[in-house]
Amino acid sequence: MVFSFFKKSKLQILAPLNGAIIPLEEVPDPVFSQKMMGEGIAVMPTGGNIHAPVDGKIILIAATKHAIGIRAEDGSEILIHAGLETVALNGKGFKTVVNEGEKVSVGQLLIEVDWDYIKTHAKSTVTPIVITNIQTETRKLTLTEEIDAIQGKTVIISSS
């Protein structure tokens, strides 16, 4: 088909970590619960590290290592924010293993996280996963109805 290259591909965002899935509206931070950063979902981690939820390119690593941004192959920009008010930890509890500009594949390790440290020193371990450029998005997003996220297996957000 001549115009097939204009058609956007479907987006599937896999869980970047294990845990209980909670609606973004229930995140105890208005920046996320009021969707100021974008549409998405959150995970209350049960342990483990943060992995790439899509194939794409790293476009942001917060100086304090608590957040990472990925541009998926379809142009969607995904922010993974580990915990709440974790910027105040100044990088303690986090170790990034990728660099800005690096291409990543689904399931690739992005950030090693010491959840026990985060639990003790931050407001919450809840980890929002949001599409930050959703206002430019013309597709319909579907959020999972699953209650448990399995890293690399559970599709938490998809689009059509």
Side-chain angles (χ1 to χ4, degrees):
M1 181 178 258
V2 175
F3 297 105
S4 64
F5 63 93
F6 288 114
K7 187 176 179 184
K8 286 204 173 219
S9 59
K10 284 183 121 179
L11 175 69
Q12 285 198 326
I13 300 175
L14 298 176
L17 68 165
N18 295 322
I21 296 171
I22 61 171
L24 207 54
E25 296 83 1
E26 293 179 18
V27 172
D29 183 321
V31 171
F32 293 105
S33 65
Q34 294 175 17
K35 302 181 181 182
M36 294 179 209
M37 295 294 293
E39 180 64 78
I41 209 155
V43 175
M44 182 63 74
T46 54
N49 296 307
I50 295 174
H51 299 259
V54 294
D55 292 336
K57 182 178 181 180
I58 302 298
I59 56 171
L60 167 85
I61 296 177
T64 52
K65 305 173 190 169
H66 72 287
I68 194 161
I70 304 166
R71 182 175 297 117
E73 292 178 340
D74 76 335
S76 299
E77 295 179 358
I78 302 155
L79 175 72
I80 304 169
H81 193 283
L84 301 178
E85 297 184 16
T86 47
V87 69
L89 301 178
N90 292 315
K92 291 182 183 159
F94 303 102
K95 180 184 176 194
T96 55
V97 297
V98 292
N99 299 300
E100 279 187 32
E102 187 174 331
K103 287 190 175 190
V104 294
S105 300
V106 168
Q108 183 175 338
L109 179 63
L110 303 177
I111 305 173
E112 294 175 353
V113 184
D114 181 345
W115 291 112
D116 290 332
Y117 183 86
I118 307 306
K119 199 176 293 180
T120 303
H121 296 90
K123 178 179 177 181
S124 174
T125 59
V126 69
T127 299
I129 300 108
V130 296
I131 301 176
T132 58
N133 62 345
I134 194 65
Q135 55 275 25
T136 63
E137 195 62 58
T138 57
R139 295 176 288 176
K140 180 181 184 280
L141 287 183
T142 303
L143 305 176
T144 186
E145 293 183 8
E146 296 287 330
I147 57 171
D148 292 311
I150 300 169
Q151 184 274 312
K153 295 197 186 308
T154 308
V155 176
I156 57 171
I157 303 170
S158 60
S159 74
S160 54

